[in-house]
Structure formats: structure tokens, C-alpha cells
Amino acid sequence: MKKSAPKSASPGLLLPKCPTGIQGLDEITGGGLPRGRPTLVCGGAGCGKTLLAAEFLVRGATQFGEPGVFMAFEETEAELEANVASLGFNLKGLVGRRKILIDYVHIEPGEIHESGEYDLEGLFVRLNHAIDSIGAKRVVLDTLEALFAGLRNESILRAELRRLFRWLKDKGVTAVITAERGRESLTRHGLEEYVSDCVILLDHRVNDQIATRHLRVVKYRGALHGTNEFPFLIGDDGLSVLPITSLGLNHKVSSERIATGIPRLDAMLGGRGFFRGSSILLTGTAGTGKTIIASNFAQAAAKRGERTLFFSFEESPNQIIRNMHSIGLRLEPLMKRGLLRFHSARPSLYGLEMHLATMFKEIAAFQPHVVIVDPITSLMDLGTHSEGKGMVTRLIDYLKAGQVTTLFTSLTQGGHALQQSEAGMSSLMDSWILLQDFEGNGERNRVLYVLKARGMAHSNQIREFLISDHGIDVVDAYIGPSGVLTGSARAAQSSLEKAAELATQQEAARLKREVERKRAAIERQISGLRSDYESESAELRRIAEQVGTSTQMLTTEQAESGRLRQADAKVATRPRGRSGLRRKS
């Protein structure tokens, strides 16, 4: 019997989601928190539980038209309004417009006595009134520890927790309940995570004196979700879970090419430069000219009318501008026109994720066409190798999604193999240019390679990279039997080649002069022979003319002599007889 194909789940069977509006969290949870169900947010002190819950309510009221109730057991309404104001939320205004209702419930642990039955009827009545008064769709309870602080009976605690969660479900509200983390469990009582439909764990830890907050969705009944640990930030505009990367690798690509600002480097890249929207890695040891190439790239983009954002983690903007004057680059006019913007900060100022969030914020505000990060290794050193690579991956994905061309400079350590020091990051890049020091003949010079350029023909030859007060240039390096020559050795070899070429030219000029002399001599001989020929020809004509004249004169004289002798006079004759004698008359 033929088996039928399994039926796909209908849309009506999918778990309804309630979007939080928190950047990144909705992507991790596949659309938000479970609608109409309770979600537990647990973590240690200072990890951001209350702020996440408050933003959940604020976003719901302002973006999704869902009023909310915030029932607080530790902070008063005024304290809560002041705390969330740091996120840019006007909680007081929302309360005034009846979009949010804050109910502060003061509970003293000493007032709770386990004398017989203990229930939450009073809480349910109070919460029910608050929900109905504004038609709330969202509820926050902050925190459970204050509510159950005086209870020691685990059976009563478990029963009341289940009852609370069931009441919230029956009410049909989407609830966020905060709880403090226990020593050996997610919560202090170790029960809340079992009765919650969704559990989000927040963590605030310090590594190498740098604090970072992390978020992980531990549990989500009835829905797929991201299970990894994601760093998140608390900034001026709320929480942001970073990053959400394009795991499908479905970025749009462009066939447009953009110039680097260095003509000979463009020539090494097929004569047209890099692809727009590509990621470029420029590596080299200290002093090889990475920032100079990056600045030329920024200037070329800005001169095309493209906004360029330059992140610097080692030099201030004024220092970069001053240093670029030494090679003839003027960046101030581009800044005044709003085409070039610098953002400088010490790597130790923030943690890795805070730097990334700050960069995302700057990019979103400036909307650049080109981004330069100089150097990316300063940020990668703030975390582990995997954290650094993850940060670069997220940044590249974010920029590629917007078709932003990005140039990363990377400081390498001398003596380390490229495969060991750069392979991890370079695999994320579309193009890879290497700058190296080349030492020889008592001097140090710079050379440049194009190690990688996806999708384009590129040169595989080494070039010498020159920096002068007129700018930068990429010139051919001399390669001979003794190897690669750069600097003065290349100049000396070039002088020798020029001297040899000059000697060849001089020899050719000498031979040309000799040939010209011989040609002139031959021309003179030909001219002399031609003159002799003309003279003899003239003499021959003269003789011929004389012969003709003499012949004519002779003929004339003979005729005249005959005439004088009457040689030609005619005499009358008589008929002769047979004897031939004439008759006598």
C-alpha cells in the first residue's frame, strides 16, 4: 500500500506569537513571546530583567497598540519611571494616556505567615482590576522573590506558582515574570522554570575586566527558537540583542566596481577596483601603510559623492587628518561636505558587543556607502578567537545586507605564518591585500600582494609600495636571478639598466651616423658620376651638332660648286641616226 506524504501543519495550528519590539529578540524567538502565556525572565542582579520587562510593555503600547500592566513589588512608580527614562522611554506619559498602568505592591516578608492556607486571591483581584481598567493585553510581574519571600513550604509555593501561571493563562494576557537566579538552578526556588511556557536567561559576567550581558532562550514550548547564547546591550534606545546574522547567506550582490584611489592597485584588480558591497581585508605589520591606503580609499569614495564612515581605534580624527597632510591628502573638505565622518574610540572603552552596537548605531544614522574599520584586530583582542570572529561575521553580514563596501585593516605580527594568523578572518573576506616589510641592503621597504579577490581577475605579482609627500604609488619590483630587489637596490638596478640602455642607444646613434656618412659619400660619388655623365653627354651632343653642321655645309658647297661649273645645265640634243651620227644641215 502506498504511503501518503505527511501533511504540513496548517497556519491555524502554529503557536501565536506576541512581538516584543526588542531588536533581535523577536528574531531569536521566531516572532516574539508566546501570546497569552507566561514567560519567565531570570538572571542575576544587574543583568537587565526589569528593563527588558518594561520595554516589553512600552513597545507593546507604542508600536502594537497593546496596553499593559506593570505590577512591581520592589520599585515604586516614580522609581520605575526614572529608571526607564535612561532608555528614552516616557513611561509617565504612557501612564497619563492610560496606555500603561503601574501598580506598586508593597510586601514585607514578615507580614507573610504560613498559618493554614496561603493564597493569592488578593493579588488576583487587584491584578484583574488593573487589567480590565485599561484593557491590558500585556502584564509584567517584577519580581516573584518579593511575592514569595516569606514562604518556606515548598508544596504551598509550588501550588501557588502553578495557580498564578494558570490564572494568567486563563486571563489571556501575555505575561513576563521576572525572577532572580539561584545558585544551582535558573531561579531561587527552582520551580518557576518548570511551570513557565518560555524561559529566558539573562547573564551579566566579566571577562578580563570587561563586562558583557548575554541572553539565552532556555525553553520555549511549542515553537522552534535559537538556543545559542546571544550578547545583548542596554543603550539609549532600549535593549538590543546582537547580532542577528544572515545565516542563510542570501545577500544581494552587485557587479559594479569601485576604484581604490590608487590607479596601479586598480590595475592589479583587473583595472576596475573592488566589487561594490564586498568586504576587503588589508593586513600588514606596523608601519606598512595600512591607514594610508584606507584613507586613500575613503577619499576616492567621498570624491565620488559616496558617504564614508571611518572607524578608528588607534588614532583620533585630527591625528589622521594631520598625518594624511604629509602625503598630500586633504580630508577636511570632505568632512565639511558631510561625505566623510570619523568615529574614534579606545578599544578598552567598551566591551566587544558595546563596540559593535555603537558601530551599528553610527551606520544606521549615517547610512554610508563605504565603511572603514582601522584596525579590526583592536576589537578582536577584546574577546576570545571565536567571539572576535563572530563579531566580524555579524558586522560583515549587517553591512552586506545594505550593500556597503567595507575595508578592514588588520595588524599582523611579524614572523607569523599567514595561514596561522589571518586564515580565520580572511575566510570571511571577499578580497585580501597583504602589505609586508621587505628588508635588504641595510634598509626596509614596503611590498604589496593581492592574495585573494573573489570573482575577478587579479595580479599574482609582487609590487613595491611607495609613500612620498606627493602621495602613494605602486611600482614594479625588480625580480632577477638574485631575487626581488626593492628600494635603493631596485633603484641601483634600474640605474644599471638605464645605463645599459643608454649605451645601446649611443651605439645605435654611432652606427646611424656611420651609415649616414657612407650614404653621403655614396651620394657624392653618384653625384660625381652623374656630373661626368652629363659632361660627356653634352660633349657628345656638341660633336653631333658639329658633324651635322659640317655635313650640311659640305653639301651646300658641293651644290654651289656644281652650279658654278654648270654641271647641272641642260643642253638641247638632236635625234641620232642609226649610225648615231648627226645629220648636217
Side-chain angles (χ1 to χ4, degrees):
M1 182 177 178
K2 186 177 179 180
K3 295 182 179 180
S4 60
K7 296 181 179 180
S8 59
S10 76
L13 298 178
L14 297 177
L15 183 67
K17 300 294 182 72
C18 177
T20 65
I22 297 174
Q23 179 184 354
L25 182 57
D26 290 338
E27 286 82 354
I28 294 173
T29 56
L33 304 181
R35 183 175 293 278
R37 299 186 182 188
T39 294
L40 178 67
V41 178
C42 55
C47 64
K49 301 184 297 298
T50 302
L51 293 180
L52 186 148
E55 184 168 355
F56 169 71
L57 285 190
V58 172
R59 300 291 183 190
T62 57
Q63 297 181 10
F64 306 106
E66 297 184 357
V69 171
F70 195 109
M71 183 164 282
F73 303 106
E74 292 183 339
E75 296 177 278
T76 65
E77 180 176 346
E79 291 172 341
L80 189 61
E81 290 175 354
N83 292 341
V84 300
S86 62
L87 305 181
F89 300 149
N90 184 11
L91 196 57
K92 186 175 182 179
L94 293 173
V95 171
R97 299 198 305 270
R98 296 185 63 78
K99 297 292 185 180
I100 291 179
L101 188 149
I102 301 176
D103 188 5
Y104 171 61
V105 180
H106 178 71
I107 298 178
E108 287 291 342
E111 298 176 357
I112 301 176
H113 301 283
E114 298 182 38
S115 56
E117 295 185 358
Y118 173 87
D119 60 52
L120 299 174
E121 282 300 328
L123 176 68
F124 294 158
V125 171
R126 190 166 179 170
L127 185 57
N128 186 69
H129 174 72
I131 293 173
D132 293 342
S133 64
I134 63 171
K137 302 296 183 181
R138 304 185 180 201
V139 171
V140 169
L141 300 179
D142 184 45
T143 66
L144 282 181
E145 280 68 32
L147 184 60
F148 297 109
L151 291 179
R152 297 293 182 267
N153 191 318
E154 185 174 325
S155 61
I156 295 178
L157 180 60
R158 181 184 292 272
E160 291 304 308
L161 279 173
R162 289 185 180 278
R163 189 177 174 208
L164 172 62
F165 280 63
R166 174 50 57 188
W167 187 90
L168 292 170
K169 284 185 179 181
D170 294 341
K171 192 63 179 177
V173 293
T174 305
V176 171
I177 303 170
T178 66
E180 295 181 8
R181 187 171 185 178
R183 293 183 179 180
E184 298 180 356
S185 58
L186 293 179
T187 58
R188 285 190 178 183
H189 303 293
L191 303 174
E192 297 92 324
E193 59 263 34
Y194 295 102
V195 295
S196 302
D197 289 86
C198 179
V199 178
I200 297 176
L201 175 63
L202 304 183
D203 184 29
H204 189 199
R205 56 179 179 263
V206 178
N207 292 324
D208 295 331
Q209 301 180 354
I210 297 176
T212 306
R213 292 182 172 91
H214 293 82
L215 178 148
R216 181 165 65 94
V217 180
V218 179
K219 173 184 176 181
Y220 201 132
R221 286 174 178 163
L224 297 176
H225 59 89
T227 58
N228 293 333
E229 189 175 57
F230 295 88
F232 76 96
L233 302 171
I234 301 175
D236 296 338
D237 51 358
L239 277 72
S240 56
V241 183
L242 299 173
I244 300 304
T245 60
S246 178
L247 299 178
L249 290 176
N250 54 358
H251 307 114
K252 294 181 179 179
V253 297
S254 173
S255 298
E256 182 185 357
R257 303 280 282 274
I258 59 175
T260 64
I262 307 172
R264 285 298 302 273
L265 181 56
D266 290 337
M268 296 177 69
L269 299 167
R272 301 168 60 191
F274 297 109
F275 283 116
R276 181 175 297 281
S278 61
S279 53
I280 306 155
L281 178 64
L282 179 63
T283 61
T285 55
T288 51
K290 300 182 295 299
T291 303
I292 290 177
I293 292 182
S295 298
N296 273 269
F297 191 59
Q299 184 192 51
K303 284 186 174 181
R304 293 193 299 268
E306 300 176 3
R307 292 184 298 276
T308 303
L309 184 56
F310 197 119
F311 291 101
S312 174
F313 297 103
E314 291 184 345
E315 299 178 271
S316 67
N318 291 333
Q319 185 175 353
I320 294 176
I321 292 172
R322 183 204 64 188
N323 294 345
M324 293 307 108
H325 283 177
S326 64
I327 61 171
L329 285 184
R330 296 294 183 267
L331 302 180
E332 305 96 316
L334 302 175
M335 295 179 64
K336 292 179 180 178
R337 292 168 55 190
L339 294 173
L340 177 61
R341 177 184 292 184
F342 284 91
H343 177 85
S344 298
R346 284 292 183 189
S348 56
L349 180 62
Y350 309 120
L352 186 63
E353 298 304 329
M354 179 60 78
H355 276 293
L356 186 60
T358 303
M359 294 171 74
F360 281 6
K361 184 177 180 180
E362 289 287 334
I363 293 169
F366 191 54
Q367 293 293 311
H369 300 86
V370 174
V371 167
I372 295 171
V373 183
D374 179 41
I376 189 63
T377 42
S378 294
L379 295 183
M380 296 182 68
D381 292 340
L382 296 178
T384 64
H385 175 73
S386 60
E387 290 173 343
K389 184 175 180 180
M391 182 271 295
V392 175
T393 302
R394 298 193 294 269
L395 181 57
I396 290 175
D397 282 345
Y398 179 75
L399 293 170
K400 280 182 175 289
Q403 284 288 286
V404 179
T405 309
T406 313
L407 175 65
F408 298 91
T409 69
S410 173
L411 177 64
T412 59
Q413 302 297 326
H416 286 250
L418 292 177
Q419 292 77 9
Q420 295 176 358
S421 61
E422 302 300 321
M425 186 169 56
S426 65
S427 62
L428 304 173
M429 303 296 175
D430 298 310
S431 300
W432 184 9
I433 297 176
L434 173 65
L435 292 172
Q436 277 188 333
D437 289 327
F438 196 90
E439 297 184 3
N441 298 319
E443 61 185 23
R444 182 172 63 89
N445 299 289
R446 303 174 180 91
V447 294
L448 180 147
Y449 305 80
V450 177
L451 297 182
K452 173 184 177 182
R454 289 173 176 163
M456 67 180 77
H458 59 278
S459 173
N460 63 348
Q461 297 180 358
I462 186 174
R463 295 287 190 273
E464 186 172 0
F465 179 52
L466 302 179
I467 303 175
S468 67
D469 53 357
H470 301 294
I472 62 177
D473 195 10
V474 179
V475 301
D476 295 334
Y478 179 83
I479 301 176
S482 59
V484 178
L485 299 180
T486 60
S488 60
R490 177 184 56 79
Q493 181 63 33
S494 177
S495 298
L496 291 176
E497 292 178 351
K498 289 181 179 179
E501 182 179 0
L502 179 61
T504 302
Q505 293 175 352
Q506 291 175 345
E507 180 64 18
R510 186 189 64 79
L511 292 175
K512 183 178 180 181
R513 290 194 299 271
E514 183 66 20
V515 170
E516 288 294 328
R517 185 186 63 77
K518 291 182 178 180
R519 185 188 63 79
I522 292 174
E523 288 291 337
R524 288 194 298 272
Q525 291 179 0
I526 293 174
S527 178
L529 293 174
R530 183 178 291 112
S531 179
D532 293 342
Y533 170 77
E534 292 294 336
S535 298
E536 293 178 357
S537 297
E539 181 65 19
L540 181 60
R541 288 194 298 273
R542 185 183 63 78
I543 294 173
E545 289 176 357
Q546 289 179 354
V547 170
T549 302
S550 300
T551 302
Q552 184 178 2
M553 291 178 61
L554 180 61
T555 303
T556 302
E557 290 177 356
Q558 289 177 349
E560 182 63 24
S561 177
R563 187 184 64 79
L564 294 175
R565 294 193 310 269
Q566 297 183 351
D568 294 331
K570 294 183 178 180
V571 180
T573 57
R574 294 179 179 179
R576 296 179 180 177
R578 293 184 179 181
S579 60
L581 299 176
R582 285 186 283 185
R583 294 179 181 178
K584 293 182 181 181
S585 57

